[in-house]
Amino acid sequence: MDDNFNKAPKCQYQGVPEGDEFDFNAEEIHMAYCDTPIDLYQNDDEEPLKYEHFIKPFEGHYPKTPYALFDVELIDNLYKMDITIMRPSQIASIMATLFASPEPTKRKPDFLCVSSTGSGKTLAFLVPMIQMCMEQIQKLPSKTHRTPMVLIFAHTKTLVANIYQTAEKLVQGTNVKISLIAGKTKFIDDTYFDIGICTIGRFRNHFGDPESGRIQIDISALKYLIVDEADVMVIEPEFRKIVHEMKMQVVSAFLWKVGY
Ligand SMILES: Nc1ncnc2c1ncn2[C@@H]1O[C@H](COP(=O)(O)OP(=O)(O)OP(=O)(O)O)[C@@H](O)[C@H]1O
């Protein structure tokens, strides 16, 4: 997959210096302006890109493009949800997360996706995150106790519940474990999951207070921090504190902000 980034012919996806209003120490934030179509690759008939174009080889089926990015189980789950065609924000996020960085020696830049309401941002982050987890899991011995690779934050319980419900559908038949850390659900009793979907308050019960008697989430394997509705989240003092504390423990997590 490493050479794919350079091969992809067209992508209106660009790096910009970090702005003053974001206090996350990213050297660079990559922006995808997702109301403008972004081509991951040019297909000859100019048909809309379909998720199935990117399935990895399986049982005698060969990939339809050089970018065989997805396991068939994930694409099957999307199809069961009637999702067949990739939307621009989803293509941009796939570029940002599943393709190698153009500068492999540097830490991956953070990624900010700004796209309109209803344009499909939830799948834009869930699909590549679930795929990334599947790939990591395949590399590990089968009984490994895995700790979160991805934490997703949103600012209301309802938003978090919606993300969780979509994620539940997407992970069916895969071995990706998701955990809801929000609202009035019971406190989690272990830290062995791959993707945590969290509100700030409930997450706080499980992070940064070892004396609390509650399970503390182990973030040593964290790779991605996803911030939905980042414009609202970044002004929450408690959230900024959490990010700061995480950064002291995990320097390399890639921050993926989702605008509106
Ligand atoms: N590629 C796709 N093909 C068809 N439907 C899609 C696709 N992606 C997302 N959708 C559908 O579009 C709807 C809106 O998606 P979603 O809630 O993720 O949008 P959003 O950008 O997060 O919106 P909001 O800003 O309101 O949170 C959902 O019903 C979702 O199932």
Side-chain angles (χ1 to χ4, degrees), residues 9 23 41-42 44 47 53 71 113 132 147 150 184 196 200-201 215 249:
D23 184 22
Y41 85 127
Q42 189 66 50
D44 292 342
E47 280 174 14
H53 292 159
D71 283 270
C113 173
M132 185 275 299
T147 56
V150 182
K184 295 200 171 23
I200 300 170
I215 288 291
Q249 290 186 45

Side-chain angles (χ1 to χ4, degrees), residues 35-258:
D35 288 334
T36 315
I38 299 169
D39 292 337
L40 181 61
Y41 85 127
Q42 189 66 50
N43 97 12
D44 292 342
D45 308 325
E46 305 242 341
E47 280 174 14
L49 289 188
K50 291 191 177 165
Y51 280 100
E52 67 174 42
H53 292 159
F54 299 92
I55 298 177
K56 288 179 180 176
F58 71 101
E59 295 168 3
H61 291 261
Y62 297 100
K64 293 192 179 160
T65 74
Y67 313 113
L69 301 173
F70 295 115
D71 283 270
V72 67
E73 293 84 358
L74 178 57
I75 304 305
D76 273 351
N77 289 340
L78 281 167
Y79 274 54
K80 280 181 205 150
M81 295 159 69
D82 270 338
I83 312 280
T84 55
I85 289 174
M86 289 183 179
R87 290 189 174 163
S89 57
Q90 293 161 3
I91 297 171
S93 67
I94 289 164
M95 291 290 297
T97 46
L98 298 182
F99 282 71
S101 163
E103 293 179 75
T105 52
K106 276 176 75 179
R107 173 184 170 270
K108 262 191 166 189
D110 292 340
F111 178 68
L112 174 65
C113 173
V114 184
S115 84
S116 49
T117 296
S119 58
K121 292 185 288 289
T122 310
L123 290 178
F125 60 78
L126 282 179
V127 169
M129 288 302 108
I130 291 169
Q131 179 60 39
M132 185 275 299
C133 289
M134 288 166 86
E135 280 170 24
Q136 295 291 322
I137 294 168
Q138 281 157 16
K139 288 184 203 154
L140 294 169
S142 59
K143 293 221 166 100
T144 309
H145 278 310
R146 304 186 305 268
T147 56
M149 291 179 254
V150 182
L151 289 173
I152 300 171
F153 284 88
H155 77 285
T156 66
K157 283 179 237 160
T158 315
L159 260 174
V160 168
N162 290 343
I163 297 169
Y164 183 77
Q165 277 169 12
T166 307
E168 266 189 319
K169 293 181 193 156
L170 288 174
V171 298
Q172 268 179 34
T174 75
N175 42 16
V176 176
K177 254 183 98 177
I178 57 173
S179 182
L180 179 65
I181 304 162
K184 295 200 171 23
T185 52
K186 71 178 177 63
F187 290 106
I188 54 168
D189 45 23
D190 68 55
T191 181
Y192 303 127
F193 51 88
D194 302 305
I195 302 180
I197 305 172
C198 327
T199 51
I200 300 170
R202 183 47 72 101
F203 181 80
R204 217 7 151 184
N205 292 127
H206 295 288
F207 185 74
D209 185 9
E211 308 300 313
S212 69
R214 299 206 176 97
I215 288 291
Q216 296 292 292
I217 293 174
D218 178 347
I219 61 164
S220 57
L222 187 68
K223 289 188 180 305
Y224 288 91
L225 177 63
I226 311 265
V227 188
D228 198 3
E229 308 223 320
D231 53 323
V232 186
M233 297 291 279
V234 294
I235 53 174
E236 283 276 346
E238 188 60 24
F239 184 66
R240 293 171 79 100
K241 233 168 110 192
I242 288 173
V243 173
H244 181 70
E245 285 169 38
M246 280 186 179
K247 285 231 156 192
M248 293 198 293
Q249 290 186 45
V250 190
V251 281
S252 60
F254 168 59
L255 183 65
W256 207 109
K257 310 179 191 79
V258 187

